[in-house]
Structures are given as structure tokens and as C-alpha cells.
Coordinates of all heavy atoms in Angstrom, one line a residue:
M1454 N -3.1 10.5 -2.2 CA -4.1 10.8 -1.2 C -5.4 11.3 -2.0 O -5.3 12.1 -2.8 CB -3.6 12.0 -0.4 CG -4.6 12.4 0.7 SD -4.6 11.2 2.0 CE -3.0 11.3 2.7
C1455 N -6.5 10.7 -1.6 CA -7.8 11.0 -2.3 C -8.4 12.2 -1.6 O -8.2 12.4 -0.4 CB -8.7 9.8 -2.2 SG -8.3 8.4 -3.2
G1456 N -9.3 12.8 -2.3 CA -10.1 13.9 -1.7 C -11.3 13.3 -0.9 O -11.9 14.0 -0.1
V1457 N -11.6 12.0 -1.1 CA -12.7 11.4 -0.5 C -12.3 10.9 0.9 O -11.2 10.5 1.2 CB -13.0 10.1 -1.4 CG1 -14.2 9.3 -0.7 CG2 -13.3 10.5 -2.8
A1458 N -13.3 11.1 1.8 CA -13.1 10.6 3.2 C -13.0 9.1 3.1 O -13.9 8.5 2.6 CB -14.2 11.1 4.1
I1459 N -12.1 8.6 3.9 CA -11.9 7.1 3.9 C -12.2 6.7 5.4 O -11.6 7.1 6.3 CB -10.5 6.7 3.5 CG1 -10.4 7.0 2.0 CG2 -10.3 5.2 3.8 CD1 -9.0 7.0 1.5
T1460 N -13.2 5.7 5.5 CA -13.5 5.3 6.8 C -12.6 4.1 7.2 O -11.9 3.6 6.4 CB -15.0 4.7 6.9 OG1 -15.0 3.6 6.0 CG2 -15.9 5.8 6.3
N1461 N -12.7 3.7 8.5 CA -11.8 2.6 8.9 C -12.3 1.3 8.3 O -11.5 0.3 8.4 CB -11.9 2.6 10.5 CG -10.6 2.2 11.1 OD1 -9.5 2.5 10.4 ND2 -10.7 1.5 12.2
D1462 N -13.4 1.2 7.7 CA -13.9 0.0 7.2 C -13.7 -0.3 5.7 O -14.1 -1.2 5.1 CB -15.5 -0.1 7.5 CG -15.8 -0.4 8.9 OD1 -14.9 -0.8 9.6 OD2 -17.0 -0.2 9.2
G1463 N -13.0 0.7 5.1 CA -12.8 0.6 3.7 C -11.6 1.4 3.2 O -11.0 2.0 4.1
G1464 N -11.4 1.3 2.0 CA -10.2 2.0 1.4 C -8.8 1.4 1.6 O -8.8 0.2 2.1
L1465 N -7.8 2.0 1.2 CA -6.5 1.3 1.3 C -5.5 2.4 1.9 O -5.6 3.6 1.6 CB -6.0 1.1 -0.1 CG -6.8 0.1 -1.0 CD1 -7.6 0.8 -2.1 CD2 -6.0 -1.0 -1.6
R1466 N -4.6 1.8 2.7 CA -3.5 2.7 3.2 C -2.2 2.2 2.6 O -1.9 0.9 2.6 CB -3.4 2.5 4.7 CG -4.4 3.4 5.5 CD -5.8 2.8 5.4 NE -6.7 3.5 6.3 CZ -8.0 3.3 6.1 NH1 -8.5 2.6 5.3 NH2 -8.8 4.1 7.0
L1467 N -1.4 3.2 2.2 CA 0.0 2.8 1.8 C 0.9 3.4 2.7 O 0.8 4.6 3.0 CB 0.2 3.4 0.4 CG 1.5 3.0 -0.3 CD1 1.5 1.6 -0.7 CD2 1.8 3.9 -1.5
T1468 N 1.9 2.7 3.3 CA 2.8 3.3 4.2 C 4.3 3.0 3.9 O 4.5 1.8 3.4 CB 2.5 2.9 5.7 OG1 3.4 3.5 6.6 CG2 2.5 1.4 5.9
E1469 N 5.1 3.9 4.1 CA 6.5 3.7 4.0 C 7.1 3.7 5.3 O 7.3 4.8 5.9 CB 7.2 4.7 3.0 CG 8.6 4.4 2.7 CD 9.3 5.5 1.8 OE1 8.5 6.3 1.2 OE2 10.5 5.5 1.7
P1470 N 7.3 2.6 6.0 CA 7.6 2.6 7.5 C 8.8 3.3 7.8 O 8.8 4.2 8.8 CB 7.7 1.1 7.8 CG 7.0 0.4 6.7 CD 7.2 1.2 5.5
E1471 N 9.9 3.2 7.1 CA 11.1 3.8 7.5 C 11.1 5.4 7.3 O 11.8 6.1 8.0 CB 12.3 3.2 6.8 CG 12.7 1.8 7.4 CD 13.2 0.9 6.4 OE1 12.8 1.0 5.2 OE2 14.0 0.0 6.8
A1472 N 10.4 5.8 6.4 CA 10.2 7.2 6.2 C 9.1 7.8 7.1 O 8.9 9.0 7.1 CB 9.9 7.5 4.7
E1473 N 8.4 6.9 7.8 CA 7.4 7.3 8.8 C 6.3 8.2 8.0 O 6.0 9.3 8.5 CB 7.9 8.0 10.0 CG 8.8 7.0 10.7 CD 8.8 7.3 12.2 OE1 8.4 8.4 12.6 OE2 9.2 6.4 13.0
R1474 N 5.8 7.7 6.9 CA 4.8 8.4 6.2 C 3.8 7.5 5.6 O 4.1 6.3 5.5 CB 5.4 9.3 5.2 CG 6.3 8.5 4.2 CD 6.9 9.5 3.2 NE 7.6 8.9 2.1 CZ 8.2 9.4 1.1 NH1 8.2 10.8 1.0 NH2 8.8 8.7 0.2
H1475 N 2.7 7.9 5.2 CA 1.7 7.1 4.7 C 0.7 7.9 3.8 O 0.8 9.2 3.9 CB 0.8 6.5 5.8 CG -0.1 7.4 6.5 ND1 0.3 8.2 7.5 CD2 -1.5 7.6 6.3 CE1 -0.7 8.9 7.9 NE2 -1.8 8.6 7.2
T1476 N -0.1 7.3 3.1 CA -1.2 7.9 2.4 C -2.4 7.0 2.3 O -2.2 5.9 2.7 CB -0.7 8.4 1.0 OG1 -1.7 9.2 0.4 CG2 -0.3 7.2 0.1
A1477 N -3.5 7.4 1.7 CA -4.6 6.6 1.7 C -5.4 6.8 0.4 O -5.4 7.9 -0.1 CB -5.6 6.8 3.0
F1478 N -6.1 5.8 0.0 CA -6.9 5.8 -1.2 C -8.2 5.2 -1.0 O -8.4 4.2 -0.3 CB -6.1 5.1 -2.3 CG -4.7 5.5 -2.4 CD1 -3.7 4.8 -1.9 CD2 -4.4 6.7 -3.2 CE1 -2.4 5.1 -2.0 CE2 -3.1 7.1 -3.2 CZ -2.0 6.3 -2.6
C1479 N -9.3 5.7 -1.7 CA -10.6 5.0 -1.7 C -10.6 3.8 -2.5 O -11.3 2.9 -2.2 CB -11.6 6.0 -2.0 SG -11.5 6.7 -3.7
R1480 N -9.8 3.7 -3.6 CA -9.8 2.6 -4.4 C -8.4 2.4 -5.1 O -7.6 3.3 -5.1 CB -10.8 2.6 -5.5 CG -11.1 4.0 -6.0 CD -12.3 4.0 -6.9 NE -12.1 3.0 -8.0 CZ -13.1 2.7 -8.8 NH1 -14.3 3.1 -8.6 NH2 -12.9 1.8 -9.8
L1481 N -8.1 1.2 -5.5 CA -6.7 0.8 -5.9 C -6.3 1.7 -7.1 O -5.1 2.0 -7.1 CB -6.8 -0.7 -6.2 CG -5.4 -1.4 -6.5 CD1 -4.6 -1.3 -5.2 CD2 -5.6 -2.8 -6.9
E1482 N -7.2 2.0 -8.0 CA -6.7 2.7 -9.2 C -6.2 4.1 -8.8 O -5.4 4.6 -9.5 CB -7.9 2.9 -10.1 CG -8.6 1.6 -10.7 CD -9.5 1.0 -9.7 OE1 -10.5 1.7 -9.3 OE2 -9.3 -0.1 -9.3
H1483 N -6.6 4.6 -7.7 CA -6.2 5.9 -7.3 C -4.7 5.9 -6.9 O -4.1 6.9 -6.9 CB -7.1 6.5 -6.3 CG -8.4 6.8 -6.8 ND1 -9.5 7.2 -6.1 CD2 -8.9 6.6 -8.1 CE1 -10.6 7.4 -6.9 NE2 -10.2 7.0 -8.1
L1484 N -4.3 4.8 -6.4 CA -2.9 4.6 -6.1 C -2.0 4.8 -7.3 O -1.0 5.5 -7.3 CB -2.6 3.2 -5.5 CG -1.3 2.9 -4.9 CD1 -1.3 1.6 -4.1 CD2 -0.1 2.8 -5.9
V1485 N -2.5 4.3 -8.5 CA -1.8 4.5 -9.7 C -1.6 5.9 -10.1 O -0.6 6.5 -10.5 CB -2.5 3.7 -10.9 CG1 -1.7 3.8 -12.1 CG2 -2.6 2.2 -10.4
T1486 N -2.8 6.6 -10.0 CA -2.8 8.0 -10.4 C -2.0 8.8 -9.4 O -1.2 9.7 -9.9 CB -4.3 8.6 -10.2 OG1 -5.2 7.6 -10.8 CG2 -4.5 9.9 -10.9
W1487 N -2.0 8.5 -8.2 CA -1.2 9.2 -7.2 C 0.3 9.0 -7.5 O 1.1 9.9 -7.4 CB -1.6 8.6 -5.8 CG -0.7 9.1 -4.7 CD1 -0.9 10.2 -3.9 CD2 0.4 8.4 -4.1 NE1 0.0 10.3 -2.9 CE2 0.9 9.2 -3.1 CE3 1.1 7.2 -4.4 CZ2 2.0 8.8 -2.3 CZ3 2.2 6.9 -3.7 CH2 2.6 7.6 -2.6
A1488 N 0.7 7.8 -7.8 CA 2.1 7.5 -8.0 C 2.6 8.2 -9.3 O 3.7 8.8 -9.4 CB 2.4 6.0 -8.1
D1489 N 1.7 8.3 -10.3 CA 2.0 8.9 -11.5 C 2.3 10.5 -11.3 O 3.1 11.0 -12.0 CB 0.8 8.8 -12.5 CG 0.9 7.5 -13.3 OD1 1.9 6.8 -13.2 OD2 -0.1 7.3 -14.1
H1490 N 1.6 11.0 -10.4 CA 1.8 12.4 -10.1 C 2.6 12.8 -8.9 O 2.6 13.9 -8.4 CB 0.3 13.1 -9.9 CG -0.5 13.0 -11.1 ND1 -1.2 11.9 -11.5 CD2 -0.6 13.9 -12.1 CE1 -1.8 12.2 -12.7 NE2 -1.5 13.3 -13.1
D1491 N 3.4 11.7 -8.5 CA 4.3 12.0 -7.4 C 3.5 12.6 -6.2 O 3.8 13.6 -5.7 CB 5.4 13.0 -7.8 CG 6.8 12.4 -7.6 OD1 6.9 11.4 -6.9 OD2 7.8 13.1 -8.0
G1492 N 2.6 11.9 -5.8 CA 1.6 12.4 -4.8 C 2.1 12.6 -3.5 O 3.2 12.1 -3.1
A1493 N 1.4 13.3 -2.7 CA 1.8 13.7 -1.3 C 1.6 12.6 -0.3 O 0.8 11.7 -0.5 CB 0.9 14.9 -0.9
W1494 N 2.4 12.7 0.8 CA 2.3 11.8 1.9 C 1.8 12.5 3.1 O 2.0 13.7 3.2 CB 3.7 11.1 2.2 CG 4.3 10.3 1.2 CD1 5.1 10.7 0.1 CD2 4.3 8.8 1.1 NE1 5.4 9.6 -0.6 CE2 5.0 8.5 -0.1 CE3 3.6 7.8 1.9 CZ2 5.1 7.1 -0.4 CZ3 3.8 6.5 1.5 CH2 4.5 6.2 0.4
R1495 N 1.4 11.8 4.1 CA 1.1 12.3 5.4 C 2.1 11.8 6.4 O 2.6 10.6 6.2 CB -0.3 11.9 5.9 CG -1.3 12.8 5.2 CD -2.7 12.3 5.7 NE -3.7 13.2 5.2 CZ -5.0 13.0 5.3 NH1 -5.4 12.0 6.1 NH2 -5.9 13.8 4.8
P1496 N 2.5 12.5 7.4 CA 3.4 11.9 8.4 C 2.8 10.7 9.2 O 1.5 10.8 9.4 CB 3.8 13.0 9.3 CG 2.6 14.0 9.1 CD 2.1 13.8 7.7
G1497 N 3.6 9.8 9.6 CA 3.1 8.6 10.4 C 3.3 7.4 9.6 O 2.9 7.3 8.5
A1498 N 3.8 6.3 10.3 CA 4.0 5.1 9.7 C 2.8 4.1 9.6 O 2.8 3.1 8.9 CB 5.3 4.4 10.3
L1499 N 1.9 4.4 10.4 CA 0.6 3.6 10.5 C 0.7 2.2 11.0 O -0.3 1.5 11.0 CB -0.1 3.4 9.1 CG -0.8 4.6 8.5 CD1 -1.6 4.0 7.3 CD2 -1.7 5.2 9.5
L1500 N 1.9 1.8 11.4 CA 2.0 0.4 11.9 C 1.8 0.4 13.4 O 2.1 1.4 14.1 CB 3.5 -0.1 11.7 CG 3.8 -0.2 10.2 CD1 5.3 -0.6 10.0 CD2 2.9 -1.3 9.5
D1501 N 1.3 -0.7 13.9 CA 1.2 -0.9 15.4 C 2.6 -0.9 15.9 O 3.6 -1.2 15.2 CB 0.5 -2.2 15.7 CG -1.0 -2.2 15.2 OD1 -1.5 -1.1 15.1 OD2 -1.5 -3.3 14.9
D1502 N 2.7 -0.6 17.2 CA 4.0 -0.5 17.9 C 4.8 -1.8 17.8 O 6.0 -1.7 17.7 CB 3.9 0.0 19.3 CG 3.4 1.4 19.4 OD1 3.5 2.2 18.4 OD2 2.9 1.8 20.5
D1503 N 4.1 -2.8 17.8 CA 4.8 -4.2 17.8 C 5.0 -4.7 16.4 O 5.4 -5.9 16.2 CB 4.1 -5.2 18.7 CG 2.7 -5.5 18.2 OD1 2.2 -4.7 17.3 OD2 2.1 -6.4 18.7
D1504 N 4.7 -3.9 15.4 CA 4.8 -4.4 14.0 C 5.9 -3.6 13.3 O 5.9 -2.4 13.1 CB 3.5 -4.1 13.2 CG 3.5 -4.7 11.9 OD1 4.5 -5.1 11.4 OD2 2.4 -4.6 11.2
T1505 N 7.0 -4.4 13.0 CA 8.1 -3.8 12.3 C 7.9 -3.6 10.9 O 8.7 -2.9 10.2 CB 9.4 -4.7 12.5 OG1 9.1 -5.9 11.8 CG2 9.7 -4.9 14.0
G1506 N 6.8 -4.2 10.3 CA 6.6 -4.0 8.8 C 7.4 -5.0 8.1 O 7.5 -4.9 6.8
E1507 N 8.2 -5.9 8.8 CA 9.0 -6.8 8.1 C 8.5 -8.2 7.9 O 9.1 -9.0 7.3 CB 10.5 -6.9 8.8 CG 11.1 -5.5 8.6 CD 12.4 -5.5 9.6 OE1 12.6 -6.4 10.3 OE2 13.1 -4.4 9.6
G1508 N 7.3 -8.4 8.5 CA 6.7 -9.7 8.4 C 6.3 -10.2 7.0 O 6.2 -11.4 6.8
L1509 N 6.2 -9.3 6.1 CA 5.6 -9.8 4.8 C 6.7 -10.3 3.8 O 6.4 -10.8 2.8 CB 4.9 -8.6 4.2 CG 3.5 -8.3 4.9 CD1 3.0 -7.0 4.6 CD2 2.4 -9.4 4.6
G1510 N 7.9 -10.0 4.1 CA 9.0 -10.7 3.4 C 9.5 -10.2 2.1 O 10.5 -9.6 2.0
R1511 N 8.6 -10.4 1.0 CA 9.1 -10.1 -0.3 C 8.1 -9.2 -1.1 O 6.9 -9.2 -0.8 CB 9.2 -11.4 -1.0 CG 10.3 -12.3 -0.5 CD 10.6 -13.5 -1.3 NE 11.9 -14.0 -0.8 CZ 13.1 -13.6 -1.2 NH1 13.2 -12.8 -2.1 NH2 14.2 -14.1 -0.5
C1512 N 8.7 -8.6 -2.0 CA 7.8 -7.7 -2.9 C 6.9 -8.6 -3.7 O 7.3 -9.6 -4.4 CB 8.7 -7.0 -3.9 SG 7.8 -6.0 -5.1
V1513 N 5.6 -8.3 -3.6 CA 4.5 -9.0 -4.3 C 4.8 -8.9 -5.8 O 4.4 -9.8 -6.5 CB 3.2 -8.5 -3.9 CG1 2.1 -9.1 -4.7 CG2 2.9 -8.8 -2.4
Q1514 N 5.3 -7.9 -6.2 CA 5.4 -7.6 -7.7 C 6.6 -8.3 -8.3 O 6.5 -8.9 -9.3 CB 5.4 -6.1 -7.9 CG 5.6 -5.7 -9.4 CD 4.4 -6.0 -10.2 OE1 3.3 -6.3 -9.7 NE2 4.5 -5.8 -11.6
C1515 N 7.8 -8.2 -7.7 CA 9.0 -8.7 -8.3 C 9.6 -9.8 -7.6 O 10.6 -10.5 -8.1 CB 10.0 -7.5 -8.6 SG 10.7 -6.9 -7.0
G1516 N 9.2 -10.1 -6.3 CA 9.7 -11.2 -5.6 C 11.0 -10.9 -4.9 O 11.6 -11.8 -4.2
D1517 N 11.5 -9.7 -5.0 CA 12.8 -9.3 -4.3 C 12.5 -9.2 -2.8 O 11.5 -8.9 -2.4 CB 13.3 -8.0 -4.9 CG 14.1 -8.2 -6.2 OD1 14.2 -9.4 -6.6 OD2 14.6 -7.2 -6.7
G1518 N 13.6 -9.4 -2.1 CA 13.5 -9.1 -0.6 C 13.3 -7.6 -0.4 O 13.7 -6.8 -1.3
L1519 N 12.7 -7.3 0.8 CA 12.4 -5.9 1.0 C 13.6 -5.2 1.8 O 14.1 -5.8 2.7 CB 11.2 -5.8 1.8 CG 10.0 -6.5 1.2 CD1 8.8 -6.5 2.1 CD2 9.6 -5.8 -0.1
S1520 N 13.9 -4.0 1.4 CA 14.9 -3.3 2.1 C 14.4 -1.8 2.3 O 13.3 -1.6 2.2 CB 16.3 -3.4 1.4 OG 16.1 -2.9 0.0
Y1521 N 15.3 -1.0 2.5 CA 14.9 0.4 2.7 C 14.2 1.0 1.5 O 14.4 0.6 0.3 CB 16.2 1.3 2.9 CG 15.8 2.6 3.3 CD1 15.6 2.9 4.6 CD2 15.7 3.7 2.4 CE1 15.2 4.2 5.0 CE2 15.3 5.0 2.8 CZ 15.1 5.2 4.1 OH 14.7 6.4 4.5
G1522 N 13.0 1.7 1.8 CA 12.2 2.2 0.7 C 11.0 1.3 0.5 O 10.2 1.6 -0.3
R1523 N 11.0 0.2 1.2 CA 9.8 -0.7 1.0 C 8.5 0.0 1.4 O 8.5 0.8 2.3 CB 10.0 -2.0 1.8 CG 9.9 -1.9 3.3 CD 10.2 -3.1 4.0 NE 10.0 -3.0 5.4 CZ 10.9 -2.6 6.3 NH1 12.1 -2.3 5.8 NH2 10.7 -2.5 7.5
V1524 N 7.4 -0.5 0.9 CA 6.1 0.1 1.3 C 5.1 -1.0 1.5 O 5.3 -2.2 0.9 CB 5.5 1.0 0.2 CG1 6.4 2.2 0.0 CG2 5.4 0.3 -1.1
L1525 N 4.2 -0.8 2.4 CA 3.1 -1.8 2.6 C 1.8 -1.2 2.2 O 1.5 0.0 2.5 CB 3.1 -2.1 4.2 CG 4.3 -2.6 4.8 CD1 4.1 -2.8 6.3 CD2 4.8 -3.9 4.1
L1526 N 1.0 -2.0 1.6 CA -0.3 -1.6 1.2 C -1.3 -2.4 1.9 O -1.3 -3.6 1.9 CB -0.5 -1.8 -0.3 CG -1.9 -1.4 -0.8 CD1 -2.1 0.1 -0.8 CD2 -2.1 -1.9 -2.3
V1527 N -2.2 -1.7 2.7 CA -3.2 -2.5 3.6 C -4.6 -2.1 3.1 O -4.9 -0.9 3.1 CB -2.9 -2.1 5.0 CG1 -3.9 -2.9 5.9 CG2 -1.5 -2.4 5.5
R1528 N -5.3 -3.1 2.7 CA -6.7 -2.8 2.3 C -7.6 -3.1 3.5 O -7.4 -4.2 4.1 CB -7.0 -3.8 1.1 CG -8.3 -3.5 0.5 CD -8.6 -4.6 -0.6 NE -9.7 -4.3 -1.4 CZ -9.8 -3.6 -2.5 NH1 -8.6 -3.2 -3.1 NH2 -10.9 -3.4 -3.2
H1529 N -8.4 -2.3 3.8 CA -9.4 -2.4 4.8 C -10.8 -2.9 4.2 O -11.2 -2.2 3.3 CB -9.6 -1.1 5.6 CG -8.5 -0.7 6.4 ND1 -8.7 0.1 7.6 CD2 -7.2 -1.0 6.3 CE1 -7.5 0.3 8.1 NE2 -6.6 -0.4 7.4
R1530 N -11.2 -4.0 4.7 CA -12.6 -4.4 4.2 C -13.3 -4.9 5.5 O -13.2 -6.0 5.9 CB -12.3 -5.6 3.2 CG -13.7 -5.9 2.5 CD -13.3 -7.0 1.5 NE -12.9 -6.4 0.2 CZ -12.6 -7.1 -0.9 NH1 -12.6 -8.5 -0.8 NH2 -12.3 -6.6 -2.0
G1531 N -14.1 -4.0 6.0 CA -14.8 -4.3 7.3 C -13.7 -4.5 8.3 O -12.8 -3.7 8.4
P1532 N -13.8 -5.6 9.1 CA -12.9 -5.8 10.1 C -11.5 -6.4 9.5 O -10.6 -6.6 10.2 CB -13.5 -6.8 11.0 CG -14.5 -7.5 10.1 CD -15.0 -6.6 9.1
L1533 N -11.5 -6.8 8.3 CA -10.4 -7.4 7.7 C -9.2 -6.4 7.3 O -9.6 -5.3 6.9 CB -10.7 -8.2 6.5 CG -11.6 -9.4 6.6 CD1 -12.0 -10.1 5.3 CD2 -11.0 -10.5 7.5
R1534 N -8.1 -6.9 7.5 CA -6.9 -6.1 7.0 C -6.1 -7.0 6.1 O -5.6 -8.0 6.5 CB -6.0 -5.6 8.1 CG -6.8 -4.8 9.2 CD -7.1 -3.5 8.7 NE -7.9 -2.6 9.7 CZ -9.2 -2.5 9.6 NH1 -9.9 -3.2 8.8 NH2 -9.8 -1.8 10.6
I1535 N -6.0 -6.6 4.8 CA -5.3 -7.5 3.9 C -4.0 -6.7 3.4 O -4.1 -5.6 2.8 CB -6.2 -7.7 2.6 CG1 -7.5 -8.4 3.1 CG2 -5.4 -8.6 1.6 CD1 -8.6 -8.2 2.1
G1536 N -2.9 -7.2 3.7 CA -1.6 -6.5 3.5 C -0.8 -7.1 2.4 O -0.8 -8.3 2.2
D1537 N -0.1 -6.3 1.6 CA 0.8 -6.6 0.7 C 2.0 -5.7 0.8 O 1.9 -4.6 1.1 CB 0.3 -6.5 -0.8 CG -0.9 -7.6 -1.0 OD1 -0.5 -8.8 -1.1 OD2 -2.1 -7.3 -1.1
A1538 N 3.2 -6.3 0.5 CA 4.4 -5.5 0.6 C 5.1 -5.4 -0.8 O 5.0 -6.3 -1.6 CB 5.3 -6.2 1.6
F1539 N 5.8 -4.3 -0.9 CA 6.5 -4.0 -2.2 C 7.8 -3.4 -1.9 O 8.0 -2.7 -0.9 CB 5.6 -2.9 -3.0 CG 4.2 -3.5 -3.3 CD1 3.2 -3.2 -2.4 CD2 4.0 -4.2 -4.4 CE1 1.9 -3.6 -2.6 CE2 2.7 -4.8 -4.6 CZ 1.7 -4.4 -3.7
C1540 N 8.8 -3.5 -2.9 CA 10.1 -3.0 -2.6 C 10.1 -1.5 -2.7 O 11.0 -0.9 -2.3 CB 11.1 -3.7 -3.6 SG 10.6 -3.4 -5.4
G1541 N 9.0 -1.0 -3.3 CA 9.0 0.5 -3.5 C 7.6 0.9 -4.1 O 6.9 0.1 -4.5
V1542 N 7.4 2.2 -4.1 CA 6.1 2.8 -4.6 C 5.9 2.4 -6.0 O 4.8 2.1 -6.5 CB 6.1 4.3 -4.4 CG1 4.9 4.9 -5.2 CG2 6.1 4.7 -2.9
E1543 N 7.0 2.3 -6.8 CA 6.8 2.0 -8.2 C 6.2 0.6 -8.4 O 5.4 0.5 -9.3 CB 8.2 2.1 -9.0 CG 8.6 3.5 -9.2 CD 10.0 3.6 -9.7 OE1 10.5 2.6 -10.3 OE2 10.7 4.6 -9.5
H1544 N 6.6 -0.3 -7.6 CA 6.1 -1.7 -7.8 C 4.7 -1.8 -7.2 O 3.9 -2.6 -7.7 CB 7.0 -2.7 -7.2 CG 8.1 -3.1 -8.2 ND1 9.1 -4.0 -7.9 CD2 8.3 -2.6 -9.5 CE1 9.9 -4.1 -9.0 NE2 9.5 -3.3 -10.0
A1545 N 4.4 -1.0 -6.2 CA 3.0 -1.0 -5.7 C 2.2 -0.4 -6.8 O 1.0 -1.0 -7.0 CB 2.9 -0.1 -4.4
A1546 N 2.6 0.6 -7.5 CA 1.8 1.1 -8.6 C 1.6 0.2 -9.8 O 0.6 0.1 -10.3 CB 2.4 2.5 -9.0
A1547 N 2.7 -0.5 -10.1 CA 2.7 -1.4 -11.2 C 1.7 -2.5 -10.9 O 0.9 -2.9 -11.8 CB 4.1 -2.0 -11.5
W1548 N 1.7 -3.0 -9.7 CA 0.9 -4.1 -9.2 C -0.6 -3.6 -9.2 O -1.5 -4.3 -9.7 CB 1.3 -4.5 -7.8 CG 0.5 -5.5 -7.2 CD1 0.7 -6.9 -7.3 CD2 -0.5 -5.4 -6.1 NE1 -0.2 -7.6 -6.5 CE2 -0.9 -6.7 -5.8 CE3 -1.1 -4.3 -5.6 CZ2 -1.9 -6.9 -4.8 CZ3 -2.0 -4.5 -4.6 CH2 -2.5 -5.8 -4.2
A1549 N -0.8 -2.4 -8.8 CA -2.1 -1.8 -8.7 C -2.7 -1.7 -10.1 O -3.9 -1.9 -10.4 CB -2.2 -0.5 -8.0
S1550 N -1.9 -1.2 -11.1 CA -2.4 -0.9 -12.4 C -2.7 -2.3 -13.1 O -3.5 -2.3 -14.1 CB -1.4 -0.1 -13.2 OG -0.2 -0.8 -13.4
A1551 N -2.1 -3.4 -12.6 CA -2.4 -4.6 -13.2 C -3.6 -5.3 -12.5 O -4.0 -6.4 -12.9 CB -1.2 -5.6 -13.1
G1552 N -4.2 -4.6 -11.6 CA -5.4 -5.1 -11.0 C -5.3 -5.7 -9.6 O -6.2 -6.1 -9.0
G1553 N -4.0 -5.6 -9.1 CA -3.8 -6.1 -7.8 C -4.0 -7.6 -7.6 O -3.9 -8.3 -8.5
R1554 N -4.3 -8.0 -6.4 CA -4.5 -9.4 -6.2 C -5.7 -9.9 -6.6 O -6.0 -11.2 -6.6 CB -4.3 -9.7 -4.6 CG -5.4 -9.1 -3.8 CD -5.5 -9.8 -2.4 NE -4.2 -9.5 -1.6 CZ -3.6 -10.4 -0.8 NH1 -4.1 -11.6 -0.7 NH2 -2.6 -10.1 -0.1
W1555 N -6.6 -9.2 -7.2 CA -7.9 -9.5 -7.7 C -7.8 -9.8 -9.2 O -8.8 -10.0 -9.8 CB -9.0 -8.6 -7.3 CG -9.1 -8.6 -5.9 CD1 -9.9 -9.5 -5.1 CD2 -8.5 -7.8 -4.9 NE1 -9.7 -9.3 -3.8 CE2 -8.9 -8.3 -3.6 CE3 -7.6 -6.7 -5.0 CZ2 -8.4 -7.7 -2.5 CZ3 -7.1 -6.1 -3.9 CH2 -7.5 -6.6 -2.6
R1556 N -6.7 -9.6 -9.8 CA -6.6 -10.0 -11.2 C -6.7 -11.5 -11.4 O -6.5 -12.2 -10.5 CB -5.2 -9.4 -11.8 CG -4.0 -10.2 -11.3 CD -2.8 -9.6 -11.7 NE -1.6 -10.0 -10.9 CZ -0.5 -9.4 -10.9 NH1 -0.2 -8.4 -11.7 NH2 0.5 -9.9 -10.2
V1557 N -7.1 -11.8 -12.6 CA -7.3 -13.2 -13.0 C -5.9 -14.0 -12.8 O -4.9 -13.5 -13.3 CB -7.8 -13.4 -14.4 CG1 -7.9 -14.8 -14.8 CG2 -9.1 -12.7 -14.6
S1558 N -6.0 -15.0 -12.1 CA -4.8 -15.7 -11.7 C -5.0 -17.2 -12.1 O -6.0 -17.8 -11.7 CB -4.4 -15.5 -10.3 OG -3.6 -16.6 -9.8
G1559 N -4.0 -17.8 -12.6 CA -4.0 -19.3 -12.9 C -3.8 -20.2 -11.7 O -4.0 -21.3 -11.7
S1560 N -3.2 -19.6 -10.7 CA -2.8 -20.5 -9.6 C -3.9 -20.4 -8.5 O -4.2 -19.8 -7.7 CB -1.5 -20.0 -8.9 OG -1.6 -18.6 -8.6
Ligands
LIG1737 ZN1 -9.8 7.9 -4.4
LIG1738 ZN1 9.5 -5.1 -6.4

């Protein structure tokens, strides 16, 4: 959780749906810091009522199927919502520390 106020048009939300908790960051690097320090969560799953959080399928980092403990990272960019799923906070942090989806990619 950042100390910075996060508007609906920016920042990132990380949610663990089954634990019904979430947190938010102004930038991706802050997720890494937060995970390193075993950061705090806020109550609430952040998903729409009709969203089970299961639509994203596999961990972006390791490719494993998602099960209990999975987390969703949603980046807000204006009206856009860009979501990625991970098997757990550790892989979300590993992915974030590698630069997330904006890292240089050959594909
Ligand atoms: Zn921040
Ligand atoms: Zn994973």
C-alpha cells in the first residue's frame, strides 16, 4: 500500500479474491517493495460481482494454473483496465521486479 493517493485513472490494484483483500500501488516497483516488507492489505476483493477472478487462467510468471492464493494485478490507465494473474504474491513481485509486461520481449 502506497502513501500516495491513487485515483481511479491510474495506479495498480492487487487483489487476492479468496481472501477478500486488496492493496494498491502508484507504480509497479512499489509492489516489489511492498512484497519484500510483507505489506498490509485492505479488506475487499475488488472484483465485480459477476467476476470470479478465474477468467485469466494461468500465472503470467510461471505458467501454472491458478488455485487458492492466486492474486490479480489490475493496472488502471485512464478508462483501460489491464489485468494479469499470478499464482501468488511472490510471483507477482518477481514479475514486477523484472519490469512487468513492459519489459523487452522477443515475441
Ligand atoms: Zn507508490
Ligand atoms: Zn506463478
Side-chain angles (χ1 to χ4, degrees):
M1454 185 71 66
C1455 291
V1457 180
I1459 294 167
T1460 68
N1461 215 30
D1462 287 343
L1465 301 107
R1466 277 76 172 165
L1467 183 74
T1468 179
E1469 186 180 347
E1471 281 146 332
E1473 299 210 342
R1474 59 187 186 172
H1475 75 278
T1476 185
F1478 310 97
C1479 59
R1480 35 190 302 164
L1481 193 61
E1482 299 81 62
H1483 292 176
L1484 191 164
V1485 182
T1486 316
W1487 173 87
D1489 274 354
H1490 292 86
D1491 234 353
W1494 295 86
R1495 284 180 177 174
L1499 283 195
L1500 296 175
D1501 295 334
D1502 287 344
D1503 60 349
D1504 187 350
T1505 61
E1507 289 170 1
L1509 289 162
R1511 294 187 169 274
C1512 176
V1513 172
Q1514 179 69 11
C1515 69
D1517 278 358
L1519 302 174
S1520 57
Y1521 189 83
R1523 70 185 184 273
V1524 295
L1525 305 177
L1526 180 69
V1527 182
R1528 189 183 187 96
H1529 288 206
R1530 188 176 275 179
L1533 294 176
R1534 302 289 178 264
I1535 304 157
D1537 289 293
F1539 304 90
C1540 58
V1542 169
E1543 281 170 30
H1544 277 179
W1548 180 84
S1550 68
R1554 64 164 67 217
W1555 295 275
R1556 68 185 161 194
V1557 177
S1558 154
S1560 54

